[in-house]
Amino acid sequence: MTTSSPPARIWRELRSAWAITKKDARIYYLRPGSIMFGILFPLFLFISFAIGRDLPAGVLVPGLMAISVFFAASSIGPMAVPTERKTKTYERMITAPVSPLSILVGEIVGGAIFGAIIAAIPLIIGIVFYGTLIVNPIGLIGVLVLVSFAFSAMGIMFAAIPTDNPGDVMMILNFIRLPLLFISGIFIPVSAMGMYGAVALISPLTYAKDMIQYVLTGTGYYGPFTDVIGMLIFTGIFLWIGVRLHERNRKSG
Amino acid sequence: MNAISVNNLTRDYGTLRAVDHISFEVESGEFFGFLGPNGAGKTTTIRMLTGLSEPSEGTASIMGCDITRDAFHAKEHFGIVPEVSNIYEDLSAWNNLMFAGELYGLSQPERTRRARELLEIFDLTGFRDKKAQGFSKGMRRKLTLAMALIHEPEILFLDEPTSGLDVQSSLLLKEILSRLNREGTTIFLTTHMLEEANTLCNRVAIIVKGRLAAVDAPEKLKKTIQTTQSVEVSLDSMTSQVTADLTAIKTVTSSRHEGDKFRLFTPDPAVVATAIFEYAQAHRLKIISINTVGPSLEDAFLSIVQRQGDSRTEGRP
């Protein structure tokens, strides 16, 4: 089977994408920027929200998991891509026989795995300290895969900003991420937002939090069908825009 | 089959035309030099040929594969060593090579075999598990070259490969490049070091202000400026009076200091050499060395660059 045959080509692209994922895991998971923006920042944000409020674990744990996966998964791409532009290692991937889509998929999966690992921390805390029960464990795995992939794709989309300084991307990304926290039913449930609840629909974090809550507790605001469709639409948008922006950057050389 | 074919390749950045309708071919197995002054379009050309940017006009192919329409297969045929050593500093030499091998679709046994071979060739075996961030400039360069060679490419693109290296590392790198070329690898080299191009390349192309000014063998390029012959002399006393007297010798067209030597340009070196001997004898000066020198690739380069620059300036409205 030569690389000219479609199955061989797809297999080859998948292997290359996986190599990029492994490389990101080795290099970027323990970088200060990833730990700061991916773990500490959302953790302190949530603690400041939760302290002094007698919230049930069924609200606390899904909210913290959603924030964790949101920040962690969307932080790896904006760390990795500008850094690699600076060191010119991104060019190494572009000059290799790997399609632009595979490069981005590799980067996205790298962020997604990081997001899923970080999301497991509040879940373990919930299970150990709050006695959280998982109503649908298989569903939880599926939800984490979908949600972390979507948010990592969002990070990669922002990583298309043509700069070689990760701080520049993080600044713009936080300008979007922080307002989303307040309209996504994390701090104030969508049901309590009244007429402003409609705003929640434009945030991917809304569906992520609702899905996580559904698989953990068996109840959600929108229901699994709407959540999955919403999440898939956002994933598609992030990928579509991300691939085009990165390709435009490459063509403009 | 030509290893590289370039046809009317053009690249615009806004209103600036960085590369202007250049066409040339590089045969398989050739050592091809791509020379030009700073900002002439060398790096832009290499970036288009390796898929890092797209041409505004024109086409190019690598081993028959179009760089735009069949980029995947075109990229399988070459390795690239950019001007900056683009290695992953947080990875060990071994993991850098493994990653490069995976990008080029090598199986685990293949990339292990190649990585071992390359570490041996580049004298990096003792550093295989060390993170690259502690490597010297020479070691980084060697690792970059090793990563470019992991898939045994038919073509190797090198952008200023010896820039900033010490003499020993530079010599080793040139030796490896020569050997690769003897073994059949086509080499496309951009360099500022004309002596490097002169000794290594079968043919060179000279690009000036985005346009190709010449494509030929170094010796043939030198012959185009055969009038630029010279006599290089070093006397035990080189006062300003002595250099003025030497410059006044009949048939000397110009002169310049080159370190402790004085170079006199002339169409007739024999006449000038005889005059220098007579002058030294008459003034009781000791000749430390005297050589007649033909035009170098540097002379040819400067002459071509100047000619091309003049013609483009004249051609402007």
Side-chain angles (χ1 to χ4, degrees):
Chain A
M1 202 157 51
T2 67
T3 45
S4 303
S5 71
R9 172 74 189 272
I10 292 168
W11 176 237
R12 168 90 180 262
E13 295 277 1
L14 287 173
R15 281 172 56 200
S16 298
W18 180 238
I20 292 167
T21 299
K22 287 190 294 179
K23 176 265 299 172
D24 278 1
R26 281 191 177 119
I27 298 175
Y28 300 106
Y29 281 10
L30 294 177
R31 280 271 172 106
S34 306
I35 292 170
M36 179 64 210
F37 289 105
I39 303 171
L40 298 179
F41 189 61
L43 181 71
F44 290 134
L45 203 68
F46 196 83
I47 287 171
S48 64
F49 152 74
I51 277 177
R53 299 172 71 182
D54 192 20
L55 292 169
V59 173
L60 205 63
V61 175
L64 186 52
M65 280 183 75
I67 291 184
S68 300
V69 72
F70 180 55
F71 274 86
S74 60
S75 289
I76 293 297
M79 272 297 299
V81 176
T83 302
E84 298 210 11
R85 277 198 203 108
K86 193 174 197 166
T87 57
K88 308 285 181 197
T89 44
Y90 200 72
E91 294 188 352
R92 174 173 291 290
M93 295 188 281
I94 295 174
T95 55
V98 185
S99 71
L101 181 64
S102 297
I103 295 173
L104 294 187
V105 167
E107 299 278 1
I108 290 169
V109 174
I113 292 172
F114 183 68
I117 292 169
I118 299 305
I121 298 171
L123 181 63
I124 292 165
I125 292 171
I127 292 168
V128 173
F129 294 103
Y130 295 94
T132 302
L133 295 173
I134 305 167
V135 170
N136 186 349
I138 304 290
L140 178 63
I141 294 168
V143 163
L144 280 182
V145 168
L146 178 58
V147 167
S148 53
F149 190 88
F151 292 145
S152 186
M154 184 179 106
I156 287 295
M157 180 182 76
F158 278 91
I161 295 166
T163 172
D164 58 9
N165 179 11
D168 293 346
V169 182
M170 286 295 185
M171 196 172 63
I172 296 168
L173 184 58
N174 281 337
F175 188 70
I176 302 294
R177 286 195 299 197
L178 289 173
L180 287 184
L181 279 182
F182 297 98
I183 62 163
S184 305
I186 303 279
F187 299 139
I188 307 161
V190 178
S191 57
M193 287 168 73
M195 59 183 285
Y196 297 107
V199 182
L201 293 169
I202 60 163
S203 166
L205 187 56
T206 303
Y207 307 101
K209 190 256 175 184
D210 203 49
M211 282 168 112
I212 293 171
Q213 189 165 351
Y214 186 82
V215 290
L216 283 183
T217 65
T219 57
Y221 184 75
Y222 295 108
F225 182 76
T226 308
D227 289 337
V228 169
I229 294 295
M231 215 64 225
L232 286 174
I233 289 172
F234 273 106
T235 307
I237 292 170
F238 294 148
L239 267 179
W240 190 79
I241 297 175
V243 169
R244 262 145 199 83
L245 290 180
H246 281 277
E247 202 38 17
R248 195 185 65 179
N249 286 347
R250 184 192 67 82
K251 284 180 180 169
S252 64
Chain B
M1 183 198 284
N2 285 319
I4 304 168
S5 295
V6 173
N7 187 21
N8 274 323
L9 207 62
T10 303
R11 175 73 212 194
D12 296 325
Y13 291 103
T15 53
L16 174 78
R17 179 151 285 182
V19 173
D20 191 358
H21 296 91
I22 62 168
S23 300
F24 62 89
E25 277 155 1
V26 179
E27 286 174 29
S28 281
E30 202 172 1
F31 205 131
F32 190 83
F34 200 60
L35 317 176
N38 287 338
K42 299 188 298 291
T43 299
T44 305
T45 304
I46 217 171
R47 287 180 73 83
M48 285 191 280
L49 292 177
T50 54
L52 284 169
S53 73
E54 285 203 353
S56 307
E57 274 179 59
T59 57
S61 63
I62 304 288
M63 302 301 287
C65 305
D66 189 277
I67 52 159
T68 311
R69 282 177 285 131
D70 191 11
F72 181 89
H73 290 106
K75 289 173 181 177
E76 282 190 314
H77 295 289
F78 67 78
I80 173 167
V81 178
E83 195 172 356
V84 178
S85 294
N86 57 349
I87 53 175
Y88 289 95
E89 296 200 339
D90 294 297
L91 298 182
S92 64
W94 181 259
N95 284 334
N96 266 292
L97 287 164
M98 288 295 108
F99 176 62
E102 281 180 285
L103 281 185
Y104 285 90
L106 301 189
S107 65
Q108 172 78 30
E110 269 180 303
R111 56 179 190 265
T112 304
R113 176 187 64 81
R114 277 297 287 162
R116 281 203 186 114
E117 268 176 22
L118 290 163
L119 287 174
E120 193 64 36
I121 291 169
F122 290 100
D123 203 18
L124 290 171
T125 306
F127 301 91
R128 69 167 257 172
D129 297 319
K130 295 253 185 339
K131 278 190 178 180
Q133 62 195 11
F135 284 12
S136 69
K137 194 164 187 177
M139 288 162 75
R140 283 161 190 257
R141 214 76 195 118
K142 287 195 272 187
L143 183 56
T144 308
L145 183 54
M147 288 170 82
L149 294 172
I150 190 88
H151 60 299
E152 299 179 79
E154 290 133 296
I155 303 169
L156 188 59
F157 286 96
L158 300 123
D159 194 0
E160 306 283 354
T162 57
S163 164
L165 290 187
D166 60 46
V167 177
Q168 205 178 1
S169 304
S170 176
L171 281 174
L172 175 73
L173 210 65
K174 282 190 263 187
E175 203 179 288
I176 290 168
L177 294 180
S178 289
R179 193 167 70 218
L180 282 168
N181 183 243
R182 282 198 301 276
E183 289 166 1
T185 307
T186 306
I187 296 185
F188 186 98
L189 168 83
T190 73
T191 181
H192 278 107
M193 308 204 183
L194 299 178
E195 192 45 40
E196 190 171 274
N198 187 34
T199 52
L200 292 171
C201 298
N202 306 124
R203 280 195 309 147
V204 295
I206 296 175
I207 184 170
V208 185
K209 293 181 181 170
R211 284 189 187 166
L212 268 195
V215 185
D216 218 328
E219 289 309 313
K220 286 185 184 165
L221 286 178
K222 288 180 209 169
K223 277 190 181 156
T224 61
I225 53 156
Q226 199 56 263
T227 49
T228 321
Q229 297 183 81
S230 58
V231 178
E232 196 181 69
V233 62
S234 177
L235 302 172
D236 60 350
S237 171
M238 295 286 270
T239 61
S240 52
Q241 182 58 51
V242 171
T243 55
D245 291 344
L246 293 178
T247 307
I249 293 172
K250 204 176 164 189
T251 80
V252 168
T253 53
S254 62
S255 62
R256 68 169 181 238
H257 278 284
E258 287 182 351
D260 64 340
K261 292 175 280 295
F262 196 59
R263 193 162 165 190
L264 301 155
F265 292 88
T266 172
D268 197 346
V271 169
V272 174
T274 310
I276 291 171
F277 277 115
E278 286 168 0
Y279 179 82
Q281 215 164 20
H283 292 82
R284 296 177 183 279
L285 293 171
K286 191 178 165 193
I287 296 175
I288 295 166
S289 71
I290 184 163
N291 295 300
T292 59
V293 185
S296 64
L297 184 60
E298 189 175 279
D299 296 323
F301 176 82
L302 290 173
S303 158
I304 290 165
V305 168
Q306 196 173 1
R307 246 179 6 226
Q308 185 77 2
D310 291 347
S311 71
R312 289 208 69 176
T313 311
E314 281 164 18
R316 278 184 188 153

